[in-house]
Amino acid sequence: MTSMNIIESSVKPGLMAFQASTEDQAEVQELILKTARWLHSKGSTQWGRLLKGKDDHNLGGAIARGEVVIFRASEDHSLAGAVILQQQPSAWDRKLWGLDETDSEGGTSVYLHRLVVDRGSTGKGRGRELMQWIERGIHFTGKDRIRLDCIAGNDKLSEFYRQCGYTYIGETNGYNIFEKMLIKI
């Protein structure tokens, strides 16, 4: 298994990054569910399975594997955001990216899932700050790119990823897929 090394824990003054622990799971799960409910209230079906109790990305397993990063406000330690960064493609990723079990290209990618920002922090550039930190604040041994997806009808989120420098690769099974090469440090 490859390693994920947090190079620095400060995202910016007042915001810190930490590797999630099992003690964080309930709080992270609630933040993800709040986001899923908000998406549903806007008419989106993205993350709808979460609202039915189905966790396709296995948050508990991702935390146990060290794949979840949480972001906390320095002053009150409140949860400001979270993300899953899988270093091996899941069955979901393999299907979207057309990888088979022996495909070595999947081995050089980090798969970003469940990026969430506390709703009280939206509209303030927090999502962009977290995306920048993911690219610069962590070193992924043996990885040269980040891949992600979103539901094809979410034009605002697709545009956000483009503005963050991700290249639109195409649409697969109703999902837009994006990729960004990492800068080696």
Side-chain angles (χ1 to χ4, degrees), residues 164-181:
C164 288
Y166 283 75
T167 302
Y168 174 73
I169 303 300
E171 183 180 329
T172 305
N173 299 325
Y175 289 86
N176 289 340
I177 56 175
F178 294 86
E179 181 175 83
K180 184 172 187 178
M181 298 305 291

Side-chain angles (χ1 to χ4, degrees), residues 9 31 36 55 58 70 76 92 117 124 136 145 155:
S9 59
L31 181 59
D55 181 5
N58 184 10
I70 58 173
D76 63 2
W92 171 265
V117 174
K124 300 174 184 170
R136 297 182 188 126
R145 70 195 73 205
D155 295 337

Side-chain angles (χ1 to χ4, degrees), residues 110 112 131-132 134-135 145-148 158-169 177-182:
V110 173
L112 186 151
M131 291 295 283
Q132 289 171 347
I134 289 164
E135 296 162 23
R145 70 195 73 205
I146 296 177
R147 289 178 166 177
L148 55 86
S158 290
E159 182 57 27
F160 169 74
Y161 291 136
R162 283 185 185 98
Q163 289 175 358
C164 288
Y166 283 75
T167 302
Y168 174 73
I169 303 300
I177 56 175
F178 294 86
E179 181 175 83
K180 184 172 187 178
M181 298 305 291
L182 294 170

Side-chain angles (χ1 to χ4, degrees), residues 16-133:
M16 303 293 289
F18 302 91
Q19 199 157 10
S21 68
T22 54
E23 292 80 28
D24 300 309
Q25 184 172 342
E27 190 178 14
V28 173
Q29 184 69 34
E30 183 54 33
L31 181 59
I32 291 171
L33 285 170
K34 281 182 185 177
T35 303
R37 288 190 288 271
W38 176 80
L39 286 166
H40 182 73
S41 77
K42 299 294 182 188
S44 176
T45 59
Q46 189 159 344
W47 296 6
R49 291 176 50 86
L50 281 170
L51 299 176
K52 297 174 183 172
K54 296 184 173 128
D55 181 5
D56 296 326
H57 294 293
N58 184 10
L59 179 63
I63 288 173
R65 289 186 303 274
E67 298 173 337
V68 179
V69 176
I70 58 173
F71 303 91
R72 293 193 178 276
S74 300
E75 65 277 355
D76 63 2
H77 211 59
S78 62
L79 187 62
V83 65
I84 298 173
L85 299 167
Q86 295 176 319
Q87 295 188 63
Q88 297 300 320
S90 65
W92 171 265
D93 297 315
R94 288 188 176 286
K95 182 178 177 185
L96 281 180
W97 289 91
L99 305 174
D100 64 31
E101 291 299 319
T102 62
D103 194 328
S104 62
E105 184 181 345
T108 64
S109 302
V110 173
Y111 295 86
L112 186 151
H113 294 287
R114 302 283 193 239
L115 175 69
V116 289
V117 174
D118 177 62
R119 299 298 319 147
S121 299
T122 59
K124 300 174 184 170
R126 177 67 45 91
R128 188 175 315 280
E129 291 168 351
L130 300 187
M131 291 295 283
Q132 289 171 347
W133 187 88

